[in-house]
Amino acid sequence: MSKGKDLDGEEERVSIGEGSDGETKRKLEKKSCFSSIRIGRSSVVEPQDADYTPSLSDELEVLILARVPRSLYGKFSAVNKRFLSLIKTGDIFKIRREIGFKEPSVFMLASGETSWWAFDPTSESCRNLPVLPSDSCFASGDKETFCAGTHLMVSGKEIDGLVIWRYELAANEWFKGESMKNPRCLFASATCGNYAFVAGGIGTGSNKVLNSAEKYDPETKSWDRLPMMHRRRKMCSGCYMDKKFYVIGGKNEEEKNLTCAEAFDESQNKWEIIPDMLSDMPVSTFHSPPLLAVVNNELYTLETSSNELKVYIKSSNSWKRLGKVPIRADFNKGWGVAFKSLGSKLLVIGASSASDTGNGMTILTCCPDSDNEELQWTPLTCGKNSSSPFIWNCCVMMA
């Protein structure tokens, strides 16, 4: 037999097994609902701190908060000091990664704009990033971008040479990053979970076409050398598929277009040549590097001369047509178009095929299916008006 007090302060007895089942259940529920709330003689509930959650363990609380959509982080951090600390330290993103919970964010810099902005495809909202504190040479020059974990990396040239600026999602701030072992431009890159790979490109000063490769670790903010590729190449593209880092296309030191690819197997620490991977693709001297995206471990490309989507057939080392993409990639021979993986979807950003002038930015997604030649493209509204559809840089972060 146990004793408690009712809301009027009078003692009541709650005995399991005595009385009707309904009456016992009612008394137990009343006792349970108020067992953690202190009641005074005036029957007024004492206010609690917003961070006080007596019914949840710290571990369970963190696991719940880790599943909160990132678009709501600003609101949650304003009322919960513990959650604010998890965001500022970046620990919340480590927890999300451990439990396999992540969401995409699209980072973009369009022509005519002075600052980067981030687009959340889930809520279709966007926000401006802090101003990147680089010099005028970096701001106006060509840049390459890639993501590693919660770091957005932007590589370009300042007055004193090639540099990398790093935007950290947790801190919402830009930092001057660690230079590569071999600083480069016009290189291939790919994201693999919490890491990033780069390969090829043009070296600093000598304008030498490179066959070197490196791996970036955001935890240590440092670069490690990888074995050399078999071919020197610049203006190439990269992707991560089948647990390998692929470097595809580009030009060699004699300015000849390369139709072969190479794949780096980290488990064996070596590169493998894939001959004629782009042999049936139309190649032009002034075309952009190949537009590639991997979804569900399948490789897709947007052919810039025909605006067609193709999927790579691994068994036959060939490409299958999947129909037109409603974006005019042919306007500038592939330059200014973003073609990316967005989790289980394809993302394309550029000038709409419905416009003859190419004015206005269009953002489209689709769930690719190699067995379906009529894919359904869904337009997204990012809440940002941009008169220019020309995308200088675009990168997708999964965090």
Side-chain angles (χ1 to χ4, degrees), residues 69-132:
R70 284 195 289 110
S71 60
L72 299 177
Y73 275 15
K75 296 179 180 179
F76 270 70
S77 61
V79 298
N80 188 293
K81 290 178 289 185
R82 177 174 172 79
F83 196 32
L84 176 61
S85 175
L86 288 170
I87 295 174
K88 285 188 172 182
T89 60
D91 289 340
I92 193 67
F93 300 110
K94 296 179 182 178
I95 297 169
R96 286 165 68 93
R97 187 166 62 248
E98 290 173 359
I99 63 177
F101 190 85
K102 52 190 176 182
E103 300 170 276
S105 285
V106 182
F107 294 90
M108 279 190 288
L109 179 66
S111 175
E113 297 181 339
T114 58
S115 64
W116 285 74
W117 50 284
F119 168 50
D120 181 355
T122 304
S123 62
E124 297 192 21
S125 61
C126 66
R127 63 182 178 88
N128 287 324
L129 300 188
V131 175
L132 199 161

Side-chain angles (χ1 to χ4, degrees), residues 202-219:
I202 300 177
T204 307
S206 64
N207 289 328
K208 185 177 181 180
V209 179
L210 303 176
N211 63 340
S212 61
E214 303 181 37
K215 178 181 179 181
Y216 176 73
D217 183 352
E219 293 294 329

Side-chain angles (χ1 to χ4, degrees), residues 69 104 130 139 261 282 354 372:
N372 189 346

Side-chain angles (χ1 to χ4, degrees), residues 139-150:
S140 60
D142 293 333
K143 293 175 279 291
E144 281 84 26
T145 61
F146 55 92
C147 287
T150 55

